[in-house]
Amino acid sequence: VLGSASMSSSRDDTPSGARRELRVDTRLDDPRVRVAALTVGVLAVSTAAILVRVAAAPALALACWRTGIAAVVLAPFALRTGAVPAGRQRLLLGLSGLLLGAHFALWFASLALTTVAASSVLVSLSPIVVGAGSALVLREPPSRTTWLGLVLSVVGAVVFVVDDLGAAAGGPDAL
């Protein structure tokens, strides 16, 4: 599956209005490659909180290592597409990286203050912020079905948080 890769071209509009060719690896068309990539991603995300909890390092150091290693691993794939961010794109890309690092640092620090389950649920509530931001800032409110899903996720988070508060009062076996 991963022997030789051919590249197909795709057009991308730049902010200046110019068009440039991006190369896309055709191996991604293979469903087995997609399933393998998805499996690796799900395993990495689902084990992160537990591995951070048992690590003997400060949250900020773990966040630095996590984002740094990911950048090194993903850089060859990004370079292979031929896409090179310019000007404002670089600034926004750098800002996004800093905010992602801050997110990880704060989330990892929260693991010392609550259970892995409660922390994971709370950090996964970002769609609510995105839904509210979309409605308020972009004037593109989510559909009713999406809002229903967001409300259900909040209810689930409240259940975890309330249960976590009970665990703090009732000992480690309360959850």
Side-chain angles (χ1 to χ4, degrees):
V1 173
L2 299 177
S4 64
S6 62
M7 303 294 270
S8 66
S9 294
S10 173
R11 307 244 352 154
D12 180 40
D13 290 326
T14 62
S16 65
R19 294 178 66 85
R20 68 175 167 208
E21 291 288 326
L22 295 179
R23 295 172 304 189
V24 179
D25 194 332
T26 56
R27 288 180 292 189
L28 295 175
D29 293 336
D30 185 346
R32 294 173 296 175
V33 173
R34 289 181 181 183
V35 168
L38 183 61
T39 302
V40 169
V42 168
L43 288 174
V45 168
S46 61
T47 58
I50 296 166
L51 294 175
V52 167
R53 184 69 174 260
V54 299
L60 192 55
L62 292 170
C64 180
W65 279 106
R66 180 173 179 159
T67 54
I69 290 170
V72 169
V73 168
L74 295 174
F77 298 100
L79 292 173
R80 196 168 174 179
T81 67
V84 178
R88 181 170 162 78
Q89 288 178 329
R90 279 190 186 155
L91 177 67
L92 292 174
L93 188 60
L95 179 62
S96 297
L98 288 174
L99 291 174
L100 180 63
H103 154 77
F104 283 132
L106 293 171
W107 178 39
F108 294 168
S110 79
L111 291 169
L113 304 172
T114 187
T115 64
V116 169
S119 178
S120 297
V121 167
L122 292 174
V123 82
S124 297
L125 291 177
S126 60
I128 293 170
V129 176
V130 172
S134 175
L136 296 173
V137 176
L138 301 176
R139 305 282 185 236
E140 297 174 0
S143 68
R144 288 183 188 191
T145 306
T146 302
W147 279 121
L148 177 62
L150 293 174
V151 167
L152 288 174
S153 67
V154 169
V155 170
V158 167
V159 168
F160 266 99
V161 170
V162 167
D163 197 40
D164 195 37
L165 292 174
D173 295 329
L175 183 61

